[in-house]
Amino acid sequence: MKDEKLSKLIEVAKLYYQFDFSQQQIAEQLGVSRPSVSRLLQQAKERGIVQIKILDQTEGTEQLAELLKKYYKLKHCIVIPILESNKDAMKKELGKAAANYLYDIVKDGDIIGTTWGTTLYQVAQNVQHKNVKGVSVVQLNGGVSYSETHTYASEILNYLSAAFNTAPHFLPLPAVVDHPLVANAIMSDRHIKHVLELGRKSNIAIYTVGELYNDSTLFKAGYYSVEDIELVKNHGGVGDICSRIFNKYGHICSQDLDERTIGIKLSELSNKEYSILVAGGLEKTEGIYGALTGQFSNVLITDQYTAQSLLEMEEGEQ
């Protein structure tokens, strides 16, 4: 190839691929037609001047899912590829994947138990309407009356109920109270008892892992004293599910705090037909690990980076 021709191919390729010129802009700059630019770009690819590499973010996710199923004895696992490091973007993708899974498994007569938070809000927003009968949707734990973070408790139940042709069963109570006696008195009310019992009977539970300490919705809401928080730290708390705090081995951090918590117990999640944990982000890895080692969950929906980290944690424990 003559040097002049080669130089022209390189110039056109650089303008198009490196400097984001349109083909029309290149044509005007070089004084040629737009179809000529298109032909030059094609020649640049054919001669190896331009080499296009496509990074398929989905490669390996199925293998990661299979390994997680094996290591953590899961019924099902979905690992999604993340194209952006943005936390909100990741939650949206997790929400879509979980919504599709929920749509697939829900059938007539199911009882769906759910909790609250931004991840579950993304799930509920993305669930498509399904023509099923006799489905119930119930809140699994108390909520937060004051929080700097919107928990979307009512929106989540309303969206899910609308998707599955039913009415929601709310638990309009604080997640944590000041004393076990108060919790027992509240839960003895026949209306509250009915909702809690429906949650225990749910065959599908879908929830996430809450972060602790600085980013904890429960801590920000003022449910715990300084002494409570210190106790959680001393016992290695890594996350909460349904407002119940546990360590990396899936053990409840404090029996007293657990008795002050209103909602389903973690041990009751283990008996569900589908106990679906939807969570991602490296900051939640230890919390997810604790949930899996505690065998609260039999379905995991997470991202590929968190999946890889979970595998490394499991290998490190062996």
Side-chain angles (χ1 to χ4, degrees):
M1 181 184 296
K2 293 181 180 181
D3 289 344
E4 185 179 344
K5 176 71 170 179
L6 178 61
S7 296
K8 194 164 191 176
L9 290 179
I10 293 172
E11 182 181 9
V12 170
K14 283 185 174 181
L15 288 170
Y16 188 72
Y17 290 105
Q18 287 187 348
F19 300 105
D20 293 325
F21 276 48
S22 69
Q23 292 187 22
Q24 185 59 44
Q25 287 173 322
I26 297 170
E28 291 171 359
Q29 179 161 321
L30 299 183
V32 298
S33 66
R34 195 199 61 76
S36 295
V37 173
S38 181
R39 285 194 296 270
L40 289 169
L41 288 171
Q42 183 60 35
Q43 289 175 33
K45 285 190 283 187
E46 291 171 353
R47 295 179 183 276
I49 295 169
V50 172
Q51 298 180 6
I52 297 174
K53 183 178 181 181
I54 298 174
L55 298 176
D56 185 355
Q57 297 288 338
T58 65
E59 283 185 0
T61 55
E62 290 186 7
Q63 183 181 11
L64 285 172
E66 286 302 316
L67 287 171
L68 286 171
K69 278 179 65 176
K70 175 185 174 183
Y71 285 165
Y72 293 104
K73 299 179 175 57
L74 298 169
K75 174 182 288 189
H76 196 68
C77 180
I78 298 172
V79 176
I80 63 167
I82 297 296
L83 302 177
E84 298 182 60
S85 59
N86 181 278
K87 186 182 289 189
D88 290 335
M90 179 193 65
K91 287 183 178 182
K92 286 180 181 178
E93 294 305 314
L94 286 172
K96 290 176 185 176
N100 290 337
Y101 182 74
L102 189 61
Y103 177 89
D104 288 341
I105 63 171
V106 170
K107 60 187 184 303
D108 291 352
D110 282 341
I111 303 174
I112 305 167
T114 188
T115 181
W116 38 260
T118 52
T119 301
L120 271 297
Y121 180 62
Q122 291 298 331
V123 177
Q125 273 194 311
N126 284 284
V127 175
Q128 299 299 309
H129 180 266
K130 189 171 186 178
N131 190 22
V132 286
K133 299 177 181 178
V135 171
S136 298
V137 174
V138 60
Q139 188 173 333
L140 291 175
N141 63 315
V144 175
S145 56
Y146 164 76
S147 174
E148 296 175 11
T149 304
H150 196 340
T151 61
Y152 300 100
S154 60
E155 292 94 333
I156 291 165
L157 265 75
N158 283 325
Y159 277 132
L160 291 177
S161 298
F164 300 120
N165 305 314
T166 188
H169 296 267
F170 292 102
L171 199 59
L173 302 165
V176 184
V177 293
D178 287 338
H179 197 281
L181 289 176
V182 177
N184 288 334
I186 291 172
M187 291 187 289
S188 66
D189 176 88
R190 64 187 177 92
H191 300 290
I192 301 303
K193 187 181 291 186
H194 170 72
V195 176
L196 290 171
E197 186 59 31
L198 193 62
R200 294 187 187 99
K201 289 179 179 178
S202 61
N203 62 308
I204 299 173
I206 185 163
Y207 50 88
T208 190
V209 170
E211 295 178 53
L212 294 187
Y213 313 118
N214 292 337
D215 292 320
S216 170
T217 300
L218 292 175
F219 286 13
K220 289 178 180 177
Y223 283 143
Y224 300 114
S225 66
V226 174
E227 291 76 18
D228 290 334
I229 295 172
E230 195 62 31
L231 180 66
V232 168
K233 288 181 178 178
N234 291 338
H235 285 79
V238 294
D240 82 272
I241 290 176
C242 297
S243 307
R244 299 186 185 273
I245 300 174
F246 54 90
N247 64 20
K248 68 178 290 187
Y249 302 108
H251 301 143
I252 291 295
C253 283
S254 165
Q255 193 60 40
D256 176 67
L257 293 184
D258 203 54
E259 290 175 357
R260 289 163 46 192
T261 304
I262 297 174
I264 195 169
K265 294 183 180 295
L266 295 183
S267 58
E268 293 170 326
L269 289 174
S270 304
N271 302 321
K272 304 298 182 188
E273 180 182 3
Y274 297 98
S275 187
I276 308 165
L277 171 57
V278 187
L282 295 179
E283 70 281 357
K284 290 193 175 185
T285 302
E286 284 199 327
I288 299 169
Y289 179 83
L292 297 179
T293 54
Q295 298 184 327
F296 311 141
S297 313
N298 57 29
V299 177
L300 173 65
I301 301 174
T302 191
D303 66 275
Q304 85 264 29
Y305 301 116
T306 306
Q308 186 61 54
S309 184
L310 287 166
L311 291 173
E312 291 169 0
M313 287 188 71
E314 174 62 20
E315 290 168 358
E317 293 291 328
Q318 291 180 354

